[in-house]
Amino acid sequence: PSSGSTAACAIVSDLYIFLLSFFGQARIIVPDGSPSPEYIVREGPAMLYNTLHNRWLRLIAAVVGELISALALNLFIVPLNLYTGGTMGVCQLVRTLLQTYGGLDFGPYDVAGILYFITNIPILIFAYKNLGRGLVIRTVICTVAYSFFYSIIPTPSAPIVNDYLTACLLGGILTGIGSGIVLTCGCSGGGLDI
């Protein structure tokens, strides 16, 4: 085999090993059938377990989940002039009204992220009184991250996927994965998630 295909196989193999160790497989058998000591991974979901039991890793994973959600919205949903539901959908509607009737131009960036943060302030105050300090702090961090990512990720001028159904499916699946990561880590993305 050529060195290019060997390097590609090594990258795929390393990614496979990482995913298996994250989700917990007992061991990996190399192609010739003999177990290699360097590829033996502990049993159980080792990395996932460690991530979910470390508060800082959970917070980092939640911020990554917010990044995935913001990417999904800005790359698949917004270019087709579609709106999401909940608080972000209302912010997108206000943004569109400001652009259409207010004559404001925000360039390639989306001001709905900033509006989302502003609308979350009263919700977070109410949540602080009812849900406690820890959840509110984690929610503030995730809401700031989501607002930041949503605002700075440029929206493509032409849709990546022209088919509405496919774009909605891709955007919905990726947003669901991102939101699932955030909620699994014990955080909240703000808005109606609280």
Side-chain angles (χ1 to χ4, degrees):
S2 69
S3 64
S5 66
T6 305
C9 289
I11 291 171
V12 170
S13 174
D14 289 343
L15 179 63
Y16 182 66
I17 290 166
F18 171 76
L19 290 174
L20 286 177
S21 66
F22 190 81
F23 291 109
Q25 295 294 321
R27 63 182 158 161
I28 299 170
I29 306 297
V30 292
D32 66 352
S34 63
S36 174
E38 59 195 351
Y39 290 111
I40 293 178
V41 180
R42 331 188 257 169
E43 288 198 37
M47 290 178 72
L48 183 61
Y49 179 83
N50 290 337
T51 300
L52 291 178
H53 285 82
N54 182 325
R55 104 176 76 167
W56 299 110
L57 291 177
R58 275 196 323 250
L59 194 56
I60 290 170
V63 169
V64 169
E66 295 292 8
L67 175 63
I68 293 170
S69 294
L71 277 170
L73 286 179
N74 275 355
L75 295 180
F76 296 107
I77 304 298
V78 174
L80 292 171
N81 296 320
L82 299 174
Y83 299 107
T84 62
T87 309
M88 180 53 86
V90 172
C91 294
Q92 289 173 326
L93 185 61
V94 169
R95 180 228 31 231
T96 303
L97 291 173
L98 287 173
Q99 286 177 334
T100 305
Y101 298 111
L104 300 174
D105 182 29
F106 303 111
Y109 304 104
D110 202 342
V111 75
I114 297 167
L115 295 172
Y116 182 71
F117 179 74
I118 292 169
T119 56
N120 270 298
I121 292 172
I123 297 171
L124 290 169
I125 292 170
F126 181 71
Y128 184 79
K129 293 178 181 178
N130 292 323
L131 299 177
R133 180 176 176 252
L135 178 64
V136 170
I137 290 173
R138 292 189 304 268
T139 301
V140 166
I141 292 169
C142 288
T143 303
V144 167
Y146 186 65
S147 299
F148 176 73
F149 292 142
Y150 191 80
S151 295
I152 66 162
I153 296 171
T155 304
S157 57
I160 295 174
V161 178
N162 287 326
D163 182 39
Y164 282 92
L165 181 60
T166 306
C168 288
L169 284 172
L170 288 172
I173 289 169
L174 289 174
T175 303
I177 289 170
S179 297
I181 291 171
V182 171
L183 294 174
T184 301
C185 292
C187 301
S188 171
L192 298 179
D193 285 349
I194 298 175

